[in-house]
Amino acid sequence: MKTVKSWGRYPYNSQQVKSLNWLDDVEKTVLCQGEQFLPFGNGRSYGDSCLATSNVALGARSLNRFISADWECGVVRAEAGVLLSEVLDLSVKRGWFLASTPGTKLITLGGAVANDVHGKNHHVAGTFGRHVTRFAIYRSDQGILECSRHENSELFHATIAGLGLTGVILWVEIQLRPIHSSLIDSKNIKFSNLDEFFTLSREIDVDYDYTVAWVDCVSKGNSLGRGIYMVGNHAERGTIEQPKGSKLKVPVDLPISMVNSITLKSFNTLYYNRQIAKTSDKIVSYEPFFYPLDAILEWNRIYGKPGFQQYQCVLPEDNAQDAMKEILTIISKKKMGSFLAVLKRCGDIESPGLLSFPMKGATLALDFPQLKNKTNALFDILDLIVSEASGRLYPAKDAHMSSDFFKASYPEWETLEATRDPKIMSKFWNRVTR
């Protein structure tokens, strides 16, 4: 048993996690569980989607064994607690990479399925769920079920982006993508405002598998939304090896947040101006390109004991540019935001998950220090903009979304509720459906 919080440490709830050490433990543990619970991976969800209403979760991180691997075809089957980093440790040196990966490799396979994570290549590869070939799940009312697009297909689609509510995922089988090198052929392009970003992305996204932008969230006026557009492809030549960079660590919880209006403006100005030329081409290892924050262990501590919330929205193509201007204008006026504000465009590749987050358009993600009612008041304003633009928020990052907003954004929620394991309930699901 251990006590954990969500990664954002807001809301201020702790829960007890009972470890599942072997696949054979799952049935016995679930049947002996007298109250509702929630499966729990590596604790990288930001809000309350990883918190059980009972404050009791079943931890899958110790289910961390590989079951099989076909290195000719790039198909790997592993227990649900295996981290994406552990997949990469085995696959990269054999010439295979994750077909879709989020901005951290420190999440479990089960968590990647439950949140249907996506990454910089959504416009060409879609979400993680598109590359899941099959998985096994334990339900308290049905036992073990193997699921694929053709076997128990309804449960397959409900479990992908199902927020861990359909049962305990036991193992996952995924299809990897081939690579010739562990290096990334990358290009950084400075853009002076949001309009230039949208022009750039429409012109060059077709030439790159991976595209994402850092945005100066406190810029304003003619510079509103300025930033650096980072694009790349897997290099055709070069070595195949694991990165060996050292890790930093935030050693203690800071008493107050290091992210404030003064540090934010200073950092963003320095970061934007550190690249002198309009464009910069370089060959980099895959780790800093895909996972820059993973180089700092326990980085969530920089927000202090009050924690933080991440606001991640996606806006449909027709409304994205104008609505994004409104959002960034409000954030700039409030002088709030984060050092790492991420903006990218999503493609139109459909996800197999019922409640998958991405849609064709643009998505923005920022972290905000939790400042009593100030942060939630800002989010209420942003929610109105996103709602009026027919956009939606990412459940894996959310700690505030209203029930009405959620139900309007995800009309398939009732199908997931009908498929939910009766012994599983999260604080998020209770909040947005009750």
Side-chain angles (χ1 to χ4, degrees):
M1 294 280 286
K2 64 178 180 178
T3 302
V4 299
K5 297 180 179 180
S6 72
W7 185 248
R9 300 193 288 183
Y10 178 87
Y12 305 120
N13 294 108
S14 299
Q15 66 181 358
Q16 296 295 311
V17 176
K18 299 179 180 179
S19 181
L20 300 169
N21 297 309
W22 300 93
L23 293 180
D24 291 343
D25 290 344
V26 176
E27 180 174 12
K28 178 176 64 176
T29 306
V30 170
L31 292 178
C32 291
Q33 185 65 29
E35 54 191 342
Q36 289 183 320
F37 66 92
L38 185 70
F40 188 86
N42 201 36
R44 289 293 173 135
S45 293
Y46 287 59
D48 56 3
S49 66
C50 63
L51 300 176
T53 52
S54 64
N55 295 320
V56 176
L58 301 186
R61 178 65 186 101
S62 293
L63 301 177
N64 57 1
R65 303 163 188 87
F66 285 83
I67 298 171
S68 64
D70 181 345
W71 297 118
E72 293 295 319
C73 300
V75 176
V76 170
R77 179 180 295 191
E79 292 177 350
V82 168
L83 299 179
L84 299 188
S85 62
E86 293 168 340
V87 175
L88 292 170
D89 286 344
L90 291 181
S91 68
V92 168
K93 59 188 177 184
R94 293 175 169 87
W96 296 96
F97 201 78
L98 295 166
S100 174
T101 179
T104 176
K105 55 189 171 81
L106 302 178
I107 66 169
T108 63
L109 285 173
V113 172
N115 295 292
D116 197 20
V117 296
H118 62 281
K120 297 176 176 67
N121 64 341
H122 182 270
H123 60 296
V124 296
T127 64
F128 188 89
R130 288 192 70 249
H131 310 282
V132 173
T133 53
R134 59 197 311 110
F135 55 78
I137 193 166
Y138 178 82
R139 288 180 58 90
S140 66
D141 56 352
Q142 293 178 279
I144 297 175
L145 298 170
E146 195 164 318
C147 304
S148 69
R149 287 171 175 79
H150 308 294
E151 183 179 1
N152 294 310
S153 60
E154 290 185 6
L155 185 56
F156 179 81
H157 295 295
T159 300
I160 296 174
L163 304 173
L165 298 168
T166 61
V168 180
I169 299 173
L170 302 177
W171 54 259
V172 180
E173 185 179 273
I174 58 173
Q175 174 66 60
L176 304 173
R177 63 161 293 172
I179 57 173
H180 300 291
S181 168
S182 58
L183 302 176
I184 302 294
D185 189 357
S186 71
K187 180 189 296 284
N188 288 0
I189 309 169
K190 290 179 72 172
F191 54 90
S192 56
N193 53 49
L194 191 64
D195 289 334
E196 188 177 345
F197 161 78
F198 277 96
T199 299
L200 265 174
S201 64
R202 292 187 186 105
E203 289 177 352
I204 67 175
D205 276 8
V206 295
D207 297 323
Y208 293 92
D209 285 351
Y210 303 103
T211 65
V212 70
W214 168 84
V215 177
D216 179 359
C217 62
V218 295
S219 58
K220 60 182 69 174
N222 293 331
S223 297
L224 179 73
R226 71 178 183 177
I228 300 174
Y229 198 46
M230 295 165 278
V231 299
N233 290 318
H234 289 283
E236 290 298 317
R237 297 181 180 180
T239 58
I240 291 186
E241 58 187 22
Q242 287 295 341
K244 297 180 181 179
S246 59
K247 306 288 185 185
L248 301 175
K249 183 176 182 177
V250 181
V252 296
D253 291 330
L254 302 179
I256 60 173
S257 173
M258 291 295 292
V259 182
N260 54 57
S261 59
I262 297 174
T263 60
L264 195 58
K265 184 176 182 180
S266 300
F267 174 87
N268 284 12
T269 299
L270 289 171
Y271 192 84
Y272 180 74
N273 289 309
R274 71 172 187 163
Q275 180 174 314
I276 305 300
K278 174 73 172 178
T279 64
S280 173
D281 297 282
K282 51 187 175 181
I283 302 291
V284 297
S285 171
Y286 75 81
E287 195 166 65
F289 182 82
F290 289 107
Y291 314 113
L293 280 180
D294 285 352
I296 307 174
L297 302 177
E298 307 292 345
W299 62 262
N300 55 344
R301 288 176 167 175
I302 70 170
Y303 289 92
K305 292 183 178 179
F308 71 97
Q309 292 190 63
Q310 183 171 110
Y311 192 91
Q312 183 165 6
C313 64
V314 63
L315 302 163
E317 184 77 9
D318 291 345
N319 303 330
Q321 194 161 344
D322 290 338
M324 200 68 76
K325 282 184 181 179
E326 289 187 65
I327 290 171
L328 288 175
T329 297
I330 294 295
I331 292 172
S332 178
K333 284 182 179 179
K334 298 291 185 180
K335 297 180 180 179
M336 297 173 65
S338 62
F339 301 141
L340 194 67
V342 178
L343 173 64
K344 80 173 300 296
R345 293 178 72 220
C346 295
D348 58 359
I349 301 174
E350 186 175 355
S351 166
L354 283 182
L355 268 62
S356 187
F357 164 72
M359 65 171 71
K360 183 175 174 58
T363 177
L364 175 71
L366 301 96
D367 297 334
F368 292 86
Q370 182 58 28
L371 303 173
K372 294 185 178 179
N373 295 326
K374 190 175 180 181
T375 302
N376 284 342
L378 170 64
F379 286 4
D380 288 341
I381 298 172
L382 301 183
D383 286 355
L384 286 174
I385 299 171
V386 175
S387 178
E388 289 176 359
S390 300
R392 57 191 178 219
L393 306 182
Y394 194 8
K397 308 291 183 69
D398 179 70
H400 81 279
M401 185 176 9
S402 72
S403 177
D404 288 342
F405 189 13
F406 172 77
K407 290 176 179 178
S409 302
Y410 295 94
E412 299 272 17
W413 74 270
E414 290 179 293
T415 303
L416 179 56
E417 170 62 15
T419 315
R420 180 175 60 85
D421 187 308
K423 292 197 72 171
I424 294 179
M425 177 61 76
S426 68
K427 291 184 183 294
F428 171 85
W429 196 250
N430 187 65
R431 171 168 59 86
V432 298
T433 67
R434 298 293 187 268

